[in-house]
């Protein structure tokens, strides 16, 4: 009985030490995986490739997005895909997107990031667009892949005038 008990204790100690030893690299790998996901997103955005953009999001009704354009929220990948199609279809010529200040926090199966994204381009009416957005994403590891399950896109607003600050620098 004592031998079985000491074996169980040794096993518990081994599991605890393994978790401490190998837990941190998993989170570091998660950060690197999410940064790579964001790089793929930027490339897809610049290419106006809706299918590639949507590959960073969960492909079902679990996706929930607050975007800067109406409606108030998008529920599900199909609704958000349509938003991307409308947005990208409104541009004539190239779009640029610059993602800066990316910060990622991760655990084993959930992660978050926040970044600043500057989008520029010209719409089909010849109007130049230059807006700076704040983006917060929540990710879930699903079958070994990180996917966005919640996204919140916003811009600062001047409360005195009620106008958005699309060129926000700070």
């Amino acid at each position: 009985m004592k031998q079985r008990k000491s074996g169980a204790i040794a096993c518990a100690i081994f599991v605890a030490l393994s978790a401490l030893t190998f837990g941190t690299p998993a989170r570091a790998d998660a950060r690197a995986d999410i940064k790579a996901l964001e790089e793929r997103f930027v490339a897809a955005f610049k290419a106006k490739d809706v299918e590639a953009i949507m590959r960073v999001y969960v492909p079902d009704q679990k996706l929930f997005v607050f975007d800067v354009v109406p409606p108030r929220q998008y529920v599900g990948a199909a609704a958000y895909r349509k938003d991307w199609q409308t947005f990208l279809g409104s541009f004539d010529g190239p779009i640029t997107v610059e993602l800066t200040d990316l910060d990622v926090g991760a655990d084993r199966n959930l992660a978050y990031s926040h970044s600043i994204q500057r989008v520029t381009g010209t719409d089909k009416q010849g109007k130049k667009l230059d807006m700076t957005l704040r983006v917060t994403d929540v990710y879930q590891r699903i079958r070994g892949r990180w996917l966005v399950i919640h996204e919140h896109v916003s811009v600062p607003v001047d409360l005195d005038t009620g106008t958005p600050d699309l060129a926000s620098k700070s």
Side-chain angles (χ1 to χ4, degrees):
M1 183 70 170
K2 281 187 177 182
Q3 187 176 20
R4 187 179 298 174
K5 188 174 181 180
S6 63
I9 292 171
C11 183
I13 290 171
F14 175 76
V15 169
L17 288 175
S18 294
L20 289 173
T21 302
F22 299 112
T24 302
R27 287 187 290 277
D29 289 345
R31 286 186 195 96
D33 291 347
I34 289 168
K35 287 181 179 184
L37 175 146
E38 291 296 339
E39 289 171 6
R40 290 191 306 274
F41 167 79
V42 167
F45 193 139
K46 288 178 180 178
K48 298 185 198 177
D49 185 343
V50 175
E51 295 308 311
I53 288 171
M54 292 307 298
R55 281 196 280 277
V56 306
Y57 298 97
V58 66
D60 55 31
Q61 284 300 106
K62 287 186 263 179
L63 180 62
F64 190 90
V65 177
F66 290 124
D67 201 353
V68 293
V69 297
R72 175 178 49 190
Q73 63 196 31
Y74 294 87
V75 179
Y80 202 40
R81 177 186 310 279
K82 187 174 180 183
D83 178 46
W84 274 109
Q85 289 166 333
T86 301
F87 177 71
L88 295 174
S90 71
F91 284 90
D92 190 28
I95 301 173
T96 63
V97 60
E98 178 185 350
L99 190 148
T100 61
D101 302 318
L102 178 64
D103 187 36
V104 177
D107 205 336
R108 292 201 183 282
N109 292 310
L110 285 175
Y112 70 90
S113 73
H114 53 85
S115 64
I116 302 298
Q117 298 180 19
R118 181 174 178 218
V119 179
T120 59
T122 304
D123 71 14
K124 291 188 175 179
Q125 287 71 43
K127 182 181 174 190
K128 300 237 183 255
L129 174 75
D130 185 349
M131 63 181 172
T132 301
L133 306 167
R134 305 175 296 191
V135 180
T136 302
D137 286 319
V138 177
Y139 311 84
Q140 184 175 5
R141 188 188 320 251
I142 300 170
R143 291 185 288 283
R145 290 183 48 222
W146 288 103
L147 295 170
V148 176
I149 59 170
H150 176 74
E151 184 165 81
H152 190 120
V153 183
S154 66
V155 295
V157 173
D158 181 328
L159 295 178
D160 292 332
T161 64
T163 58
D165 180 4
L166 297 177
S168 176
K169 301 291 185 225
S170 58

